Amino acid sequence: MREVAILGQGLHPWGKFEAQSVTELCRHAVEAALGDAGVKWRQIEAVAAASSRFSGGKGWGLNGNDIVEDMGSTGIPVYNMSAGCAAGANAFNVGHMLVASGQHDIVLVMGGEKMPKGFIQTSGLEDPTDPEYLRQRCVGLPGPGFWAMLCRQRMAQHGTTEEDLAAIAVKAHKLGAMNEYARFRKEFTMDDVLNSSMVNYPLRLYEICPVSDGAAAVVLCSKEIAEKAASKPVWVASSAVATADFNDGLPRHLACTIGPENAHHSEAKIAVRKAMQAAGVEHGDIDLIELQDNTVYYELAFPEEWGFIEPGTAEQWVAKGDTMPTGKLPINPSGGFQSFGEATTAQALWQIVEVASQLRGEAGGRQVPNAKIGLAQSLGLGGNATATVLRV
Amino acid sequence: MSEASSRETVESAEGLFAETPNGPRLCGSRCATCQTPYFPRSSGCHNPDCDASKMEDLYLGPKGRVWSLSVQTYPPPPPVVTVDPFEPFAAAMVDLEEGLRVLGRIVADDPGQLNVGDEVELVIAPLGHDPEGREVVSWQFKPV
């Protein structure tokens, strides 16, 4: 396997963009990535794209084909990847393999999404054989209710308080306010968060993420090309994809077995473990983490489930500022999903771009001092997860 | 809503629950080889360590313990069944004695009255009405 570098990267800011198509958002990100990489469209040898769930792609998730037609058809291969909200990093994984294997030297990875308003209808099917339809029809459990149940379990187990949760939202927005690509660039006080409306106890409106539009792109290249480039490359130390363990005790449909596994989202734990092993890094080597915080709860649970923090102590880390960019374990210096909102299939790639920005030392007021190694993690419907380790 | 339709009752899904001589039960299954229980019924065993999937039907319940729960304070979109006008409801993940963690709504006067660890039991009770005005019944849990 060859070493692979991120030669360039680009984002379209996250937000709501009624007048623009998803392909227009993607083109903005792609042109920014090409410009950053210093390569022309004609030099792109293959595209790995996240299949959009809600927008473009000819209704078949063919978003990579849309961008190729838009930029100019050159006959190159296109891989459209579907993995729920993990799709962006799934595409990154394929792009990485295309270069690492020696098949291609310069590959574009991209993802974009325009979200419909309101709740995500995870399947949209009205089919009694579809487990997601059955879950909504027989019980009724939209995403925030599911997250609230996990959080409530933590409260019972570890004594997490409503103030502990609000403190994470305050931290997220303090950082998001400094991020030019974030949708919400405003700081919140503890009172602001605790006075926001209760969605599903214990989670309030400012403790879950809304839906957003956005697009992200990166240009990957071989070591030979990266070393000739004008700017210092960010290296892909590893890219891992995983699915869930049978016995993890998380009912993704109507029921599951009660296993011994202490990580409820086993797919995320497996992906992170695989990525760290492949990169040859230990917990203490990682300078920052961008993790999927659909709700502030995940900023407590995930670092513990992955072995970074002793179980039941993450609240204290947040309170002491240890998860801030200048702390012991910076988590979501971007401002996270709390500041960006969820542009489902695009967001995993945005997280990778954020980590790369940190390693390039270009994160401004959010900069993690002397960041050398970063981890990005995503989670998607169907028990999909990804983890990516970057280094400089 | 017409008089006729208001008297009509439908199940939230076919074949998922039943009123048995011993009381309400969930209609699940179990692999005779590795003893893994399933709900709804499964045509094959999903245990990756089981080499011989051999499924048999199994009634599940009625006793369980709340693993976690949440109160739905705002009306979710269809196909979720609610009452009109909307009233908040609690939903829970309940650990059954058979070793399954099952989702279900909570039947209680106050949806906020239950806590993690509380004992519950299965009931078959109305969720609300569907867009056609029919009453929809489903398995739910009530405090013991």
Side-chain angles (χ1 to χ4, degrees):
Chain A
M1 295 281 271
R2 304 193 299 173
E3 283 195 69
V4 179
I6 294 178
L7 190 62
Q9 58 192 51
L11 294 176
H12 187 287
W14 258 229
K16 291 307 289 179
F17 306 101
E18 300 284 337
Q20 286 169 277
S21 72
V22 67
T23 304
E24 287 174 308
L25 302 186
C26 287
R27 183 164 185 148
H28 178 100
V30 168
E31 287 181 339
L34 292 173
D36 186 40
V39 301
K40 298 193 181 306
W41 171 245
R42 266 281 178 196
Q43 293 174 264
I44 297 296
E45 297 170 23
V47 173
S51 281
S52 165
R53 162 71 176 84
F54 297 101
S55 46
K58 309 175 200 307
W60 288 71
L62 305 179
N63 297 76
N65 297 82
D66 283 351
I67 198 70
V68 166
E69 288 173 13
D70 196 68
M71 294 296 292
S73 297
T74 53
I76 56 174
V78 174
Y79 302 85
N80 293 290
M81 305 307 299
S82 180
C85 298
N90 221 270
F92 184 89
N93 182 264
V94 168
H96 176 255
M97 281 194 286
L98 290 173
V99 178
S101 67
Q103 277 204 54
H104 296 289
D105 290 324
I106 304 181
V107 169
L108 173 73
V109 182
M110 43 97 29
E113 188 76 86
K114 271 179 68 95
M115 299 293 294
K117 282 183 182 155
F119 290 101
I120 298 174
Q121 298 278 39
T122 42
S123 72
L125 302 173
E126 290 222 357
D127 174 357
T129 66
D130 175 50
E132 181 57 28
Y133 168 76
L134 283 179
R135 188 167 78 140
Q136 300 305 340
R137 163 84 177 172
C138 301
V139 182
L141 190 66
F146 181 79
W147 302 327
M149 285 195 198
L150 294 183
C151 193
R152 187 95 185 256
Q153 227 293 323
R154 182 182 178 90
M155 292 172 94
Q157 196 180 354
H158 294 308
T160 311
T161 66
E162 293 177 39
E163 288 73 19
D164 290 332
L165 300 172
I168 302 165
V170 170
K171 166 202 160 279
H173 287 287
K174 190 171 191 143
L175 296 165
M178 290 187 274
N179 193 331
E180 62 183 308
Y181 295 104
R183 176 176 173 189
F184 303 107
R185 302 190 58 193
K186 180 176 175 285
E187 290 198 34
F188 289 152
T189 64
M190 284 292 280
D191 280 347
D192 290 336
V193 178
L194 290 168
N195 289 328
S196 68
S197 45
M198 186 63 79
V199 178
N200 288 87
Y201 180 85
L203 298 177
R204 294 180 162 83
L205 189 62
Y206 292 170
E207 294 166 344
I208 60 172
C209 72
V211 295
S212 291
D213 308 333
V218 302
V219 175
L220 296 175
C221 72
S222 61
K223 184 179 181 181
E224 195 179 24
I225 291 172
E227 285 178 341
K228 287 181 199 153
S231 56
K232 206 174 147 198
V234 173
W235 299 100
V236 184
S238 65
S239 166
V241 170
T243 51
D245 182 84
F246 164 69
N247 215 17
D248 72 0
L250 185 67
R252 292 173 177 78
H253 305 312
L254 282 177
C256 68
T257 52
I258 307 164
E261 177 63 65
N262 66 356
H264 305 312
H265 283 289
S266 57
E267 62 272 47
K269 182 179 177 177
I270 294 168
V272 168
R273 187 178 63 223
K274 282 172 66 175
M276 288 176 62
Q277 280 173 353
V281 298
E282 305 288 336
H283 291 91
D285 298 330
I286 290 177
D287 298 315
L288 74 134
I289 302 174
E290 281 288 327
L291 58 78
Q292 185 159 333
D293 61 325
N294 291 86
T295 156
V296 294
Y297 157 79
Y298 285 125
E299 253 191 75
L300 300 174
F302 278 157
E304 294 182 0
E305 293 181 10
W306 305 340
F308 285 91
I309 293 180
E310 191 69 25
T313 66
E315 292 83 354
Q316 296 159 36
W317 283 59
V318 175
K320 283 192 267 179
D322 289 339
T323 58
M324 285 291 280
T326 51
K328 284 194 286 185
L329 181 65
I331 296 176
N332 291 356
S334 64
F337 286 27
Q338 304 302 311
S339 304
F340 275 72
E342 192 170 34
T344 52
T345 53
Q347 61 211 17
L349 198 55
W350 149 65
Q351 293 176 298
I352 290 170
V353 169
E354 169 66 22
V355 171
S357 297
Q358 286 282 349
L359 301 186
R360 284 161 55 148
E362 297 171 355
R366 304 172 287 110
Q367 183 64 45
V368 173
N370 204 28
K372 301 287 185 207
I373 299 177
L375 168 69
Q377 168 271 338
S378 75
L379 193 68
L381 184 69
N384 283 297
T386 66
T388 309
V389 177
L390 304 181
R391 64 176 171 81
V392 285
Chain B
M1 188 192 310
S2 73
E3 280 297 307
S5 67
S6 70
R7 285 197 299 271
E8 202 179 335
T9 294
V10 292
E11 295 186 336
S12 59
E14 274 183 43
L16 262 56
F17 54 93
E19 191 66 62
T20 75
N22 296 323
R25 296 289 186 274
L26 294 174
C27 302
S29 54
R30 178 168 57 194
C31 175
T33 306
C34 69
Q35 303 299 309
T36 302
Y38 293 94
F39 174 72
R41 283 179 184 142
S42 177
S43 55
C45 184
H46 308 319
N47 179 356
D49 297 318
C50 179
D51 296 326
S53 170
K54 194 178 168 194
M55 304 306 296
E56 54 190 25
D57 288 350
L58 174 74
Y59 280 133
L60 298 158
K63 292 198 178 309
R65 195 176 284 276
V66 173
W67 184 75
S68 196
L69 74 165
S70 172
V71 176
Q72 189 67 35
T73 49
Y74 55 90
V80 180
V81 181
T82 57
V83 296
D84 184 20
F86 176 77
E87 283 178 24
F89 60 86
M93 295 176 181
V94 172
D95 287 355
L96 300 180
E97 287 176 347
E98 292 85 355
L100 265 187
R101 183 164 291 154
V102 176
L103 292 177
R105 272 199 210 172
I106 297 292
V107 181
D109 295 334
D110 171 9
Q113 77 184 71
L114 273 171
N115 284 302
V116 171
D118 284 353
E119 285 184 43
V120 291
E121 65 181 17
L122 272 173
V123 290
I124 295 169
L127 296 173
H129 289 83
D130 66 13
E132 291 76 40
R134 299 173 301 182
E135 185 180 64
V136 180
V137 297
S138 193
W139 79 90
Q140 301 193 50
F141 294 97
K142 71 169 188 188
V144 173

